[in-house]
mmCIF file with all atom_site columns, all heavy atoms in Angstrom:
data_model
loop_
_atom_site.group_PDB
_atom_site.id
_atom_site.type_symbol
_atom_site.label_atom_id
_atom_site.label_alt_id
_atom_site.label_comp_id
_atom_site.label_asym_id
_atom_site.label_entity_id
_atom_site.label_seq_id
_atom_site.pdbx_PDB_ins_code
_atom_site.Cartn_x
_atom_site.Cartn_y
_atom_site.Cartn_z
_atom_site.occupancy
_atom_site.B_iso_or_equiv
_atom_site.pdbx_formal_charge
_atom_site.auth_seq_id
_atom_site.auth_comp_id
_atom_site.auth_asym_id
_atom_site.auth_atom_id
_atom_site.pdbx_PDB_model_num
ATOM 1   N N   . ALA O 1 90  ? 20.431 -11.631 -29.114 1.00 94.00 ? 110 ALA O N   1
ATOM 2   C CA  . ALA O 1 90  ? 19.425 -10.663 -29.556 1.00 94.00 ? 110 ALA O CA  1
ATOM 3   C C   . ALA O 1 90  ? 19.785 -9.250  -29.108 1.00 94.00 ? 110 ALA O C   1
ATOM 4   O O   . ALA O 1 90  ? 19.624 -8.290  -29.871 1.00 94.00 ? 110 ALA O O   1
ATOM 5   C CB  . ALA O 1 90  ? 18.047 -11.049 -29.025 1.00 94.00 ? 110 ALA O CB  1
ATOM 6   N N   . ILE O 1 91  ? 20.278 -9.109  -27.885 1.00 93.00 ? 111 ILE O N   1
ATOM 7   C CA  . ILE O 1 91  ? 20.699 -7.791  -27.397 1.00 93.00 ? 111 ILE O CA  1
ATOM 8   C C   . ILE O 1 91  ? 21.822 -7.255  -28.274 1.00 93.00 ? 111 ILE O C   1
ATOM 9   O O   . ILE O 1 91  ? 21.808 -6.085  -28.676 1.00 93.00 ? 111 ILE O O   1
ATOM 10  C CB  . ILE O 1 91  ? 21.128 -7.877  -25.915 1.00 93.00 ? 111 ILE O CB  1
ATOM 11  C CG1 . ILE O 1 91  ? 19.911 -8.163  -25.026 1.00 93.00 ? 111 ILE O CG1 1
ATOM 12  C CG2 . ILE O 1 91  ? 21.838 -6.594  -25.479 1.00 93.00 ? 111 ILE O CG2 1
ATOM 13  C CD1 . ILE O 1 91  ? 20.267 -8.553  -23.596 1.00 93.00 ? 111 ILE O CD1 1
ATOM 14  N N   . SER O 1 92  ? 22.778 -8.097  -28.603 1.00 93.00 ? 112 SER O N   1
ATOM 15  C CA  . SER O 1 92  ? 23.916 -7.672  -29.426 1.00 93.00 ? 112 SER O CA  1
ATOM 16  C C   . SER O 1 92  ? 23.491 -7.353  -30.854 1.00 93.00 ? 112 SER O C   1
ATOM 17  O O   . SER O 1 92  ? 23.985 -6.398  -31.460 1.00 93.00 ? 112 SER O O   1
ATOM 18  C CB  . SER O 1 92  ? 24.982 -8.768  -29.443 1.00 93.00 ? 112 SER O CB  1
ATOM 19  O OG  . SER O 1 92  ? 25.433 -9.010  -28.130 1.00 93.00 ? 112 SER O OG  1
ATOM 20  N N   . ARG O 1 93  ? 22.569 -8.132  -31.381 1.00 93.00 ? 113 ARG O N   1
ATOM 21  C CA  . ARG O 1 93  ? 22.082 -7.861  -32.734 1.00 93.00 ? 113 ARG O CA  1
ATOM 22  C C   . ARG O 1 93  ? 21.385 -6.507  -32.791 1.00 93.00 ? 113 ARG O C   1
ATOM 23  O O   . ARG O 1 93  ? 21.585 -5.721  -33.721 1.00 93.00 ? 113 ARG O O   1
ATOM 24  C CB  . ARG O 1 93  ? 21.151 -8.980  -33.206 1.00 93.00 ? 113 ARG O CB  1
ATOM 25  C CG  . ARG O 1 93  ? 20.735 -8.840  -34.672 1.00 93.00 ? 113 ARG O CG  1
ATOM 26  C CD  . ARG O 1 93  ? 19.846 -9.969  -35.141 1.00 93.00 ? 113 ARG O CD  1
ATOM 27  N NE  . ARG O 1 93  ? 18.658 -10.041 -34.313 1.00 93.00 ? 113 ARG O NE  1
ATOM 28  C CZ  . ARG O 1 93  ? 18.190 -11.156 -33.746 1.00 93.00 ? 113 ARG O CZ  1
ATOM 29  N NH1 . ARG O 1 93  ? 18.805 -12.297 -33.915 1.00 93.00 ? 113 ARG O NH1 1
ATOM 30  N NH2 . ARG O 1 93  ? 17.104 -11.128 -33.018 1.00 93.00 ? 113 ARG O NH2 1
ATOM 31  N N   . GLU O 1 94  ? 20.599 -6.197  -31.750 1.00 89.00 ? 114 GLU O N   1
ATOM 32  C CA  . GLU O 1 94  ? 19.893 -4.915  -31.714 1.00 89.00 ? 114 GLU O CA  1
ATOM 33  C C   . GLU O 1 94  ? 20.862 -3.757  -31.491 1.00 89.00 ? 114 GLU O C   1
ATOM 34  O O   . GLU O 1 94  ? 20.747 -2.716  -32.123 1.00 89.00 ? 114 GLU O O   1
ATOM 35  C CB  . GLU O 1 94  ? 18.840 -4.933  -30.614 1.00 89.00 ? 114 GLU O CB  1
ATOM 36  C CG  . GLU O 1 94  ? 18.022 -3.664  -30.556 1.00 89.00 ? 114 GLU O CG  1
ATOM 37  C CD  . GLU O 1 94  ? 16.901 -3.753  -29.543 1.00 89.00 ? 114 GLU O CD  1
ATOM 38  O OE1 . GLU O 1 94  ? 16.259 -4.811  -29.441 1.00 89.00 ? 114 GLU O OE1 1
ATOM 39  O OE2 . GLU O 1 94  ? 16.703 -2.754  -28.834 1.00 89.00 ? 114 GLU O OE2 1
ATOM 40  N N   . ARG O 1 95  ? 21.824 -3.938  -30.589 1.00 87.00 ? 115 ARG O N   1
ATOM 41  C CA  . ARG O 1 95  ? 22.755 -2.856  -30.238 1.00 87.00 ? 115 ARG O CA  1
ATOM 42  C C   . ARG O 1 95  ? 23.818 -2.619  -31.319 1.00 87.00 ? 115 ARG O C   1
ATOM 43  O O   . ARG O 1 95  ? 24.101 -1.486  -31.674 1.00 87.00 ? 115 ARG O O   1
ATOM 44  C CB  . ARG O 1 95  ? 23.429 -3.195  -28.911 1.00 87.00 ? 115 ARG O CB  1
ATOM 45  C CG  . ARG O 1 95  ? 24.609 -2.334  -28.545 1.00 87.00 ? 115 ARG O CG  1
ATOM 46  C CD  . ARG O 1 95  ? 24.215 -0.934  -28.217 1.00 87.00 ? 115 ARG O CD  1
ATOM 47  N NE  . ARG O 1 95  ? 25.397 -0.202  -27.789 1.00 87.00 ? 115 ARG O NE  1
ATOM 48  C CZ  . ARG O 1 95  ? 25.390 1.029   -27.397 1.00 87.00 ? 115 ARG O CZ  1
ATOM 49  N NH1 . ARG O 1 95  ? 24.269 1.697   -27.350 1.00 87.00 ? 115 ARG O NH1 1
ATOM 50  N NH2 . ARG O 1 95  ? 26.490 1.620   -27.038 1.00 87.00 ? 115 ARG O NH2 1
ATOM 51  N N   . TYR O 1 96  ? 24.401 -3.714  -31.819 1.00 91.00 ? 116 TYR O N   1
ATOM 52  C CA  . TYR O 1 96  ? 25.547 -3.606  -32.714 1.00 91.00 ? 116 TYR O CA  1
ATOM 53  C C   . TYR O 1 96  ? 25.267 -4.038  -34.147 1.00 91.00 ? 116 TYR O C   1
ATOM 54  O O   . TYR O 1 96  ? 26.119 -3.896  -35.014 1.00 91.00 ? 116 TYR O O   1
ATOM 55  C CB  . TYR O 1 96  ? 26.720 -4.446  -32.182 1.00 91.00 ? 116 TYR O CB  1
ATOM 56  C CG  . TYR O 1 96  ? 27.082 -4.134  -30.755 1.00 91.00 ? 116 TYR O CG  1
ATOM 57  C CD1 . TYR O 1 96  ? 26.883 -5.071  -29.742 1.00 91.00 ? 116 TYR O CD1 1
ATOM 58  C CD2 . TYR O 1 96  ? 27.625 -2.900  -30.404 1.00 91.00 ? 116 TYR O CD2 1
ATOM 59  C CE1 . TYR O 1 96  ? 27.210 -4.786  -28.425 1.00 91.00 ? 116 TYR O CE1 1
ATOM 60  C CE2 . TYR O 1 96  ? 27.952 -2.610  -29.085 1.00 91.00 ? 116 TYR O CE2 1
ATOM 61  C CZ  . TYR O 1 96  ? 27.749 -3.553  -28.113 1.00 91.00 ? 116 TYR O CZ  1
ATOM 62  O OH  . TYR O 1 96  ? 28.065 -3.282  -26.801 1.00 91.00 ? 116 TYR O OH  1
ATOM 63  N N   . GLY O 1 97  ? 24.090 -4.619  -34.380 1.00 92.00 ? 117 GLY O N   1
ATOM 64  C CA  . GLY O 1 97  ? 23.756 -5.075  -35.723 1.00 92.00 ? 117 GLY O CA  1
ATOM 65  C C   . GLY O 1 97  ? 24.305 -6.448  -36.056 1.00 92.00 ? 117 GLY O C   1
ATOM 66  O O   . GLY O 1 97  ? 24.202 -6.895  -37.196 1.00 92.00 ? 117 GLY O O   1
ATOM 67  N N   . ASP O 1 98  ? 24.884 -7.138  -35.067 1.00 94.00 ? 118 ASP O N   1
ATOM 68  C CA  . ASP O 1 98  ? 25.486 -8.448  -35.296 1.00 94.00 ? 118 ASP O CA  1
ATOM 69  C C   . ASP O 1 98  ? 25.427 -9.256  -34.008 1.00 94.00 ? 118 ASP O C   1
ATOM 70  O O   . ASP O 1 98  ? 26.071 -8.895  -33.017 1.00 94.00 ? 118 ASP O O   1
ATOM 71  C CB  . ASP O 1 98  ? 26.928 -8.287  -35.760 1.00 94.00 ? 118 ASP O CB  1
ATOM 72  C CG  . ASP O 1 98  ? 27.608 -9.594  -36.132 1.00 94.00 ? 118 ASP O CG  1
ATOM 73  O OD1 . ASP O 1 98  ? 27.029 -10.682 -35.886 1.00 94.00 ? 118 ASP O OD1 1
ATOM 74  O OD2 . ASP O 1 98  ? 28.734 -9.528  -36.659 1.00 94.00 ? 118 ASP O OD2 1
ATOM 75  N N   . GLY O 1 99  ? 24.664 -10.351 -34.019 1.00 93.00 ? 119 GLY O N   1
ATOM 76  C CA  . GLY O 1 99  ? 24.526 -11.190 -32.835 1.00 93.00 ? 119 GLY O CA  1
ATOM 77  C C   . GLY O 1 99  ? 25.824 -11.810 -32.363 1.00 93.00 ? 119 GLY O C   1
ATOM 78  O O   . GLY O 1 99  ? 25.991 -12.091 -31.179 1.00 93.00 ? 119 GLY O O   1
ATOM 79  N N   . LEU O 1 100 ? 26.781 -12.016 -33.291 1.00 95.00 ? 120 LEU O N   1
ATOM 80  C CA  . LEU O 1 100 ? 28.062 -12.590 -32.906 1.00 95.00 ? 120 LEU O CA  1
ATOM 81  C C   . LEU O 1 100 ? 28.832 -11.721 -31.915 1.00 95.00 ? 120 LEU O C   1
ATOM 82  O O   . LEU O 1 100 ? 29.720 -12.208 -31.219 1.00 95.00 ? 120 LEU O O   1
ATOM 83  C CB  . LEU O 1 100 ? 28.944 -12.826 -34.142 1.00 95.00 ? 120 LEU O CB  1
ATOM 84  C CG  . LEU O 1 100 ? 28.539 -13.999 -35.023 1.00 95.00 ? 120 LEU O CG  1
ATOM 85  C CD1 . LEU O 1 100 ? 29.344 -14.003 -36.312 1.00 95.00 ? 120 LEU O CD1 1
ATOM 86  C CD2 . LEU O 1 100 ? 28.715 -15.314 -34.282 1.00 95.00 ? 120 LEU O CD2 1
ATOM 87  N N   . LEU O 1 101 ? 28.464 -10.467 -31.838 1.00 94.00 ? 121 LEU O N   1
ATOM 88  C CA  . LEU O 1 101 ? 29.152 -9.563  -30.921 1.00 94.00 ? 121 LEU O CA  1
ATOM 89  C C   . LEU O 1 101 ? 28.632 -9.683  -29.484 1.00 94.00 ? 121 LEU O C   1
ATOM 90  O O   . LEU O 1 101 ? 28.961 -8.866  -28.635 1.00 94.00 ? 121 LEU O O   1
ATOM 91  C CB  . LEU O 1 101 ? 29.044 -8.125  -31.427 1.00 94.00 ? 121 LEU O CB  1
ATOM 92  C CG  . LEU O 1 101 ? 29.755 -7.876  -32.757 1.00 94.00 ? 121 LEU O CG  1
ATOM 93  C CD1 . LEU O 1 101 ? 29.514 -6.457  -33.236 1.00 94.00 ? 121 LEU O CD1 1
ATOM 94  C CD2 . LEU O 1 101 ? 31.240 -8.181  -32.652 1.00 94.00 ? 121 LEU O CD2 1
ATOM 95  N N   . TYR O 1 102 ? 27.864 -10.760 -29.211 1.00 95.00 ? 122 TYR O N   1
ATOM 96  C CA  . TYR O 1 102 ? 27.403 -10.999 -27.851 1.00 95.00 ? 122 TYR O CA  1
ATOM 97  C C   . TYR O 1 102 ? 28.585 -11.109 -26.895 1.00 95.00 ? 122 TYR O C   1
ATOM 98  O O   . TYR O 1 102 ? 28.481 -10.803 -25.703 1.00 95.00 ? 122 TYR O O   1
ATOM 99  C CB  . TYR O 1 102 ? 26.525 -12.254 -27.754 1.00 95.00 ? 122 TYR O CB  1
ATOM 100 C CG  . TYR O 1 102 ? 27.292 -13.545 -27.757 1.00 95.00 ? 122 TYR O CG  1
ATOM 101 C CD1 . TYR O 1 102 ? 27.700 -14.118 -26.563 1.00 95.00 ? 122 TYR O CD1 1
ATOM 102 C CD2 . TYR O 1 102 ? 27.629 -14.182 -28.946 1.00 95.00 ? 122 TYR O CD2 1
ATOM 103 C CE1 . TYR O 1 102 ? 28.413 -15.304 -26.549 1.00 95.00 ? 122 TYR O CE1 1
ATOM 104 C CE2 . TYR O 1 102 ? 28.345 -15.354 -28.947 1.00 95.00 ? 122 TYR O CE2 1
ATOM 105 C CZ  . TYR O 1 102 ? 28.743 -15.919 -27.753 1.00 95.00 ? 122 TYR O CZ  1
ATOM 106 O OH  . TYR O 1 102 ? 29.466 -17.073 -27.744 1.00 95.00 ? 122 TYR O OH  1
ATOM 107 N N   . VAL O 1 103 ? 29.726 -11.538 -27.408 1.00 95.00 ? 123 VAL O N   1
ATOM 108 C CA  . VAL O 1 103 ? 30.934 -11.671 -26.587 1.00 95.00 ? 123 VAL O CA  1
ATOM 109 C C   . VAL O 1 103 ? 31.312 -10.325 -25.971 1.00 95.00 ? 123 VAL O C   1
ATOM 110 O O   . VAL O 1 103 ? 31.759 -10.261 -24.833 1.00 95.00 ? 123 VAL O O   1
ATOM 111 C CB  . VAL O 1 103 ? 32.096 -12.239 -27.428 1.00 95.00 ? 123 VAL O CB  1
ATOM 112 C CG1 . VAL O 1 103 ? 33.376 -12.289 -26.624 1.00 95.00 ? 123 VAL O CG1 1
ATOM 113 C CG2 . VAL O 1 103 ? 31.730 -13.622 -27.948 1.00 95.00 ? 123 VAL O CG2 1
ATOM 114 N N   . ARG O 1 104 ? 31.089 -9.236  -26.706 1.00 93.00 ? 124 ARG O N   1
ATOM 115 C CA  . ARG O 1 104 ? 31.390 -7.893  -26.205 1.00 93.00 ? 124 ARG O CA  1
ATOM 116 C C   . ARG O 1 104 ? 30.555 -7.605  -24.946 1.00 93.00 ? 124 ARG O C   1
ATOM 117 O O   . ARG O 1 104 ? 31.068 -7.094  -23.955 1.00 93.00 ? 124 ARG O O   1
ATOM 118 C CB  . ARG O 1 104 ? 31.083 -6.876  -27.303 1.00 93.00 ? 124 ARG O CB  1
ATOM 119 C CG  . ARG O 1 104 ? 31.490 -5.479  -26.966 1.00 93.00 ? 124 ARG O CG  1
ATOM 120 C CD  . ARG O 1 104 ? 31.165 -4.541  -28.086 1.00 93.00 ? 124 ARG O CD  1
ATOM 121 N NE  . ARG O 1 104 ? 32.008 -4.769  -29.250 1.00 93.00 ? 124 ARG O NE  1
ATOM 122 C CZ  . ARG O 1 104 ? 31.918 -4.083  -30.385 1.00 93.00 ? 124 ARG O CZ  1
ATOM 123 N NH1 . ARG O 1 104 ? 30.997 -3.136  -30.517 1.00 93.00 ? 124 ARG O NH1 1
ATOM 124 N NH2 . ARG O 1 104 ? 32.719 -4.338  -31.388 1.00 93.00 ? 124 ARG O NH2 1
ATOM 125 N N   . VAL O 1 105 ? 29.276 -7.937  -24.992 1.00 94.00 ? 125 VAL O N   1
ATOM 126 C CA  . VAL O 1 105 ? 28.395 -7.709  -23.832 1.00 94.00 ? 125 VAL O CA  1
ATOM 127 C C   . VAL O 1 105 ? 28.773 -8.657  -22.705 1.00 94.00 ? 125 VAL O C   1
ATOM 128 O O   . VAL O 1 105 ? 28.846 -8.254  -21.538 1.00 94.00 ? 125 VAL O O   1
ATOM 129 C CB  . VAL O 1 105 ? 26.912 -7.883  -24.233 1.00 94.00 ? 125 VAL O CB  1
ATOM 130 C CG1 . VAL O 1 105 ? 26.001 -7.684  -23.032 1.00 94.00 ? 125 VAL O CG1 1
ATOM 131 C CG2 . VAL O 1 105 ? 26.546 -6.934  -25.362 1.00 94.00 ? 125 VAL O CG2 1
ATOM 132 N N   . PHE O 1 106 ? 29.043 -9.902  -23.039 1.00 96.00 ? 126 PHE O N   1
ATOM 133 C CA  . PHE O 1 106 ? 29.419 -10.900 -22.041 1.00 96.00 ? 126 PHE O CA  1
ATOM 134 C C   . PHE O 1 106 ? 30.682 -10.462 -21.298 1.00 96.00 ? 126 PHE O C   1
ATOM 135 O O   . PHE O 1 106 ? 30.736 -10.471 -20.064 1.00 96.00 ? 126 PHE O O   1
ATOM 136 C CB  . PHE O 1 106 ? 29.623 -12.259 -22.690 1.00 96.00 ? 126 PHE O CB  1
ATOM 137 C CG  . PHE O 1 106 ? 30.119 -13.321 -21.758 1.00 96.00 ? 126 PHE O CG  1
ATOM 138 C CD1 . PHE O 1 106 ? 29.336 -13.765 -20.701 1.00 96.00 ? 126 PHE O CD1 1
ATOM 139 C CD2 . PHE O 1 106 ? 31.376 -13.873 -21.924 1.00 96.00 ? 126 PHE O CD2 1
ATOM 140 C CE1 . PHE O 1 106 ? 29.786 -14.744 -19.831 1.00 96.00 ? 126 PHE O CE1 1
ATOM 141 C CE2 . PHE O 1 106 ? 31.838 -14.860 -21.058 1.00 96.00 ? 126 PHE O CE2 1
ATOM 142 C CZ  . PHE O 1 106 ? 31.039 -15.290 -20.010 1.00 96.00 ? 126 PHE O CZ  1
ATOM 143 N N   . GLU O 1 107 ? 31.714 -10.048 -22.037 1.00 94.00 ? 127 GLU O N   1
ATOM 144 C CA  . GLU O 1 107 ? 32.970 -9.652  -21.406 1.00 94.00 ? 127 GLU O CA  1
ATOM 145 C C   . GLU O 1 107 ? 32.804 -8.398  -20.544 1.00 94.00 ? 127 GLU O C   1
ATOM 146 O O   . GLU O 1 107 ? 33.404 -8.296  -19.475 1.00 94.00 ? 127 GLU O O   1
ATOM 147 C CB  . GLU O 1 107 ? 34.047 -9.439  -22.467 1.00 94.00 ? 127 GLU O CB  1
ATOM 148 C CG  . GLU O 1 107 ? 34.514 -10.734 -23.094 1.00 94.00 ? 127 GLU O CG  1
ATOM 149 C CD  . GLU O 1 107 ? 35.478 -10.542 -24.251 1.00 94.00 ? 127 GLU O CD  1
ATOM 150 O OE1 . GLU O 1 107 ? 35.651 -9.396  -24.733 1.00 94.00 ? 127 GLU O OE1 1
ATOM 151 O OE2 . GLU O 1 107 ? 36.066 -11.552 -24.670 1.00 94.00 ? 127 GLU O OE2 1
ATOM 152 N N   . ALA O 1 108 ? 31.995 -7.461  -20.983 1.00 93.00 ? 128 ALA O N   1
ATOM 153 C CA  . ALA O 1 108 ? 31.794 -6.233  -20.219 1.00 93.00 ? 128 ALA O CA  1
ATOM 154 C C   . ALA O 1 108 ? 31.022 -6.475  -18.924 1.00 93.00 ? 128 ALA O C   1
ATOM 155 O O   . ALA O 1 108 ? 31.069 -5.663  -18.014 1.00 93.00 ? 128 ALA O O   1
ATOM 156 C CB  . ALA O 1 108 ? 31.056 -5.198  -21.073 1.00 93.00 ? 128 ALA O CB  1
ATOM 157 N N   . ASN O 1 109 ? 30.316 -7.592  -18.858 1.00 94.00 ? 129 ASN O N   1
ATOM 158 C CA  . ASN O 1 109 ? 29.466 -7.894  -17.699 1.00 94.00 ? 129 ASN O CA  1
ATOM 159 C C   . ASN O 1 109 ? 29.803 -9.246  -17.082 1.00 94.00 ? 129 ASN O C   1
ATOM 160 O O   . ASN O 1 109 ? 28.957 -9.880  -16.464 1.00 94.00 ? 129 ASN O O   1
ATOM 161 C CB  . ASN O 1 109 ? 27.994 -7.856  -18.126 1.00 94.00 ? 129 ASN O CB  1
ATOM 162 C CG  . ASN O 1 109 ? 27.592 -6.492  -18.608 1.00 94.00 ? 129 ASN O CG  1
ATOM 163 O OD1 . ASN O 1 109 ? 27.313 -5.611  -17.815 1.00 94.00 ? 129 ASN O OD1 1
ATOM 164 N ND2 . ASN O 1 109 ? 27.599 -6.297  -19.916 1.00 94.00 ? 129 ASN O ND2 1
ATOM 165 N N   . SER O 1 110 ? 31.055 -9.666  -17.227 1.00 93.00 ? 130 SER O N   1
ATOM 166 C CA  . SER O 1 110 ? 31.438 -11.011 -16.788 1.00 93.00 ? 130 SER O CA  1
ATOM 167 C C   . SER O 1 110 ? 31.249 -11.224 -15.282 1.00 93.00 ? 130 SER O C   1
ATOM 168 O O   . SER O 1 110 ? 31.079 -12.359 -14.846 1.00 93.00 ? 130 SER O O   1
ATOM 169 C CB  . SER O 1 110 ? 32.878 -11.309 -17.195 1.00 93.00 ? 130 SER O CB  1
ATOM 170 O OG  . SER O 1 110 ? 33.765 -10.364 -16.611 1.00 93.00 ? 130 SER O OG  1
#
Side-chain angles (χ1 to χ4, degrees):
I111 292 168
S112 300
R113 187 178 58 229
E114 183 175 319
R115 168 69 176 182
Y116 307 113
D118 184 351
L120 286 172
L121 296 176
Y122 78 91
V123 176
R124 186 180 290 179
V125 179
F126 175 65
E127 289 174 349
N129 298 279
S130 60

